[in-house]
């Protein structure tokens, strides 16, 4: 298994470790519910160094990105980040990602850990305009410091005024005495905070500084288990569960990152435009259980008559709401708010209703 600059630290701290996307990653430390609530109410630190990072550079960088991503990169100002996806030739999703406009003619793509090789091959094979591509995934480490107390803690370690970095914006500056750290007001928890990108050799110094600075706030390391429950409570999609090569961005509720603007001829544009014009036959919805139970990935969704109408893509017991919550693709007739649906749990039908995400307000 691959390691991150923090793998030995996780093990020394007693984390429950497991393989994820080829990496030896911490799943939990003090327990998923405790870690979840720490991030909601205080501050927690996620090792996300397994994520992939590609640089796209040169005079043709923008043209390349306009061809391979669904969102309109032409509107992305310097110093801002944009959520988008790579559509495939059939209108499915190769991956969802962030695009950072780092400098003139220079962009950083942050992709999912499980898809690094797949995404890199996709970008290389679709680079028909001669953009300069560089895979820096092994030369960048990343920590996500999330929670309502994150800004206060991090401000003690940098001369950069963090309150001046808006949501989905970033800057590059000194952090914990280390130069050239990308400080990004982004995250996957809905609890606020920052993501830091830095050289792996600076990892231990930065980790130690953050935990020392955050000690008065009760800062804790957080595993991938709580990362999943936090993102699900916000209704954020996870690739491999809620998004895949066979789900379109329109079916996934990502029409807002699919821009049919003049001159942007991205992969499968015609297919997705047709889908938008004619309507979709299924849609990703959020639901909460009325009956007691926990929906799990892969469980069938059925109607009152027991006819299959879809499938659960993500599900858990909400740590903050104490009820079963989830997401899944359902037939169009069952997508309206308050629609009654049922989760088939080993032959038992558990009643649920379609709701508007996020589950955690």
């Amino acid at each position: 298994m691959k390691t991150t600059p923090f793998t030995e630290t996780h093990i020394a701290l007693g984390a429950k470790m497991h393989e994820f996307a080829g990496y030896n990653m911490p799943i939990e430390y003090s327990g998923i519910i405790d870690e979840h609530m720490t991030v909601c109410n205080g501050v927690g630190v996620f090792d996300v160094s397994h994520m992939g990072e590609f640089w796209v550079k040169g005079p043709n960088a923008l043209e390349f990105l306009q061809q391979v991503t669904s969102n309109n990169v032409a509107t992305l100002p310097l110093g801002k980040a944009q959520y988008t996806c790579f559509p495939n030739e059939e209108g499915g999703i190769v991956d969802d990602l962030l695009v950072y406009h780092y400098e003139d003619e220079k962009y950083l793509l942050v992709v999912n850990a499980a898809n690094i090789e797949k995404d890199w091959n996709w970008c290389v094979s679709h680079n028909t305009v001669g953009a300069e591509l560089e895979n820096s995934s092994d030369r960048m480490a990343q920590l996500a410091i999330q929670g309502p107390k994150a800004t206060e803690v991090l401000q003690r370690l940098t001369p950069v005024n963090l309150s001046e970095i808006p949501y989905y914006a970033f800057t590059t500056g000194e952090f914990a005495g280390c130069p050239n750290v990308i400080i990004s007001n982004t995250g996957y928890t809905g609890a606020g905070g920052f993501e830091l990108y830095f050289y792996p050799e600076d990892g231990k110094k930065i980790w130690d500084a953050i935990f020392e600075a955050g000690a008065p706030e009760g800062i804790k390391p957080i595993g991938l288990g709580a990362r999943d429950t936090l993102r699900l409570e916000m209704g954020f999609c996870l690739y491999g569960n809620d998004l895949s090569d066979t789900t379109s961005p329109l079916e996934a509720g990502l029409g807002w990152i699919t821009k049919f603007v003049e001159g942007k001829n991205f992969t499968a544009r015609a297919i997705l435009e047709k889908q938008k014009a004619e309507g979709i036959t299924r849609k990703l919805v959020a639901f909460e259980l009325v009956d007691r139970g926990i929906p799990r990935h892969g469980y069938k969704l059925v109607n009152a008559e027991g006819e299959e109408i879809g499938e659960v893509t993500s599900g858990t017991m909400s740590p903050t709401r104490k009820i079963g919550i989830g997401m899944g693709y359902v037939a169009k007739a069952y997508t309206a708010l308050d629609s009654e649906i049922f989760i088939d749990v080993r032959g038992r039908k558990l009643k649920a209703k379609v709701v508007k995400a996020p589950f955690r307000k």
Side-chain angles (χ1 to χ4, degrees), residues 185-247:
N185 185 350
T186 46
Y188 195 47
T189 65
F194 289 83
E195 294 178 307
L196 308 177
Y197 301 82
F198 45 88
Y199 296 113
E201 54 267 30
D202 291 332
K204 186 177 188 318
K205 184 177 180 182
I206 288 174
W207 176 280
D208 290 346
I210 290 170
F211 278 88
E212 186 180 335
E217 284 74 21
I219 196 168
K220 291 182 182 180
I222 312 294
L224 293 180
R227 181 172 165 88
D228 192 48
T229 56
L230 285 157
R231 70 92 193 168
L232 182 48
E233 281 194 341
M234 290 306 296
F236 295 154
C237 292
L238 174 65
Y239 194 90
N241 283 43
D242 316 297
L243 308 175
S244 74
D245 288 299
T246 59
T247 60

Side-chain angles (χ1 to χ4, degrees), residues 32-33 36-37 39-40 188-191 225-237 286-288 314-327 355-361:
I32 289 173
I33 293 175
H36 183 111
M37 300 313 295
V39 174
C40 287
Y188 195 47
T189 65
R227 181 172 165 88
D228 192 48
T229 56
L230 285 157
R231 70 92 193 168
L232 182 48
E233 281 194 341
M234 290 306 296
F236 295 154
C237 292
F287 61 83
E288 57 187 44
S314 290
T316 193
M317 175 64 73
S318 165
T320 57
R321 299 277 307 283
K322 312 297 186 199
I323 59 171
I325 61 169
M327 297 195 294
V355 297
K356 185 175 172 58
F359 300 97
R360 166 169 35 102
K361 308 303 182 200

Side-chain angles (χ1 to χ4, degrees), residues 189-346:
T189 65
F194 289 83
E195 294 178 307
L196 308 177
Y197 301 82
F198 45 88
Y199 296 113
E201 54 267 30
D202 291 332
K204 186 177 188 318
K205 184 177 180 182
I206 288 174
W207 176 280
D208 290 346
I210 290 170
F211 278 88
E212 186 180 335
E217 284 74 21
I219 196 168
K220 291 182 182 180
I222 312 294
L224 293 180
R227 181 172 165 88
D228 192 48
T229 56
L230 285 157
R231 70 92 193 168
L232 182 48
E233 281 194 341
M234 290 306 296
F236 295 154
C237 292
L238 174 65
Y239 194 90
N241 283 43
D242 316 297
L243 308 175
S244 74
D245 288 299
T246 59
T247 60
S248 90
L250 300 183
E251 291 173 333
L254 299 178
W256 61 279
I257 65 163
T258 310
K259 302 293 172 60
F260 304 110
V261 296
E262 188 177 346
K264 181 175 169 62
N265 298 312
F266 60 89
T267 312
R269 171 172 173 155
I271 292 172
L272 294 173
E273 270 188 308
K274 184 172 184 235
Q275 213 174 76
K276 184 180 181 181
E278 296 180 355
I280 49 180
T281 58
R282 63 171 186 165
K283 188 182 175 187
L284 185 67
V285 299
F287 61 83
E288 57 187 44
L289 263 67
V290 176
D291 292 334
R292 183 150 186 83
I294 305 175
R296 300 290 187 195
H297 172 76
Y299 283 5
K300 299 298 180 203
L301 295 170
V302 299
N303 61 16
E305 290 71 47
E307 298 163 333
E308 188 176 327
I309 58 168
E311 185 175 89
V312 177
T313 54
S314 290
T316 193
M317 175 64 73
S318 165
T320 57
R321 299 277 307 283
K322 312 297 186 199
I323 59 171
I325 61 169
M327 297 195 294
Y329 286 90
V330 296
K332 190 177 178 182
Y334 301 90
T335 57
L337 289 180
D338 295 321
S339 291
E340 186 179 83
I341 60 175
F342 296 83
I343 293 88
D344 185 341
V345 183
R346 294 180 292 278

Side-chain angles (χ1 to χ4, degrees), residues 82-156:
Q82 182 182 78
Y83 180 58
T84 187
C85 75
F86 295 132
N88 64 26
E89 267 95 357
E90 291 77 42
I93 299 172
V94 177
D95 200 7
D96 63 330
L97 67 147
L98 289 181
V99 178
Y100 288 85
H101 195 172
Y102 190 75
E103 292 172 358
D104 283 330
E105 301 183 352
K106 187 174 183 180
Y107 298 83
L108 176 66
L109 311 187
V110 181
V111 304
N112 284 299
N115 290 337
I116 293 173
E117 185 178 359
K118 171 190 175 187
D119 290 354
W120 177 251
N121 291 338
W122 180 265
C123 286
V124 169
S125 65
H126 287 75
N127 182 15
T128 58
V129 296
E132 187 183 337
L133 304 180
E134 180 187 336
N135 186 350
S136 289
S137 302
D138 293 334
R139 295 187 294 280
M140 291 180 84
Q142 188 190 158
L143 291 175
I145 302 86
Q146 298 281 296
K149 297 179 181 176
T151 303
E152 184 183 348
V153 169
L154 297 180
Q155 191 61 74
R156 297 167 191 157

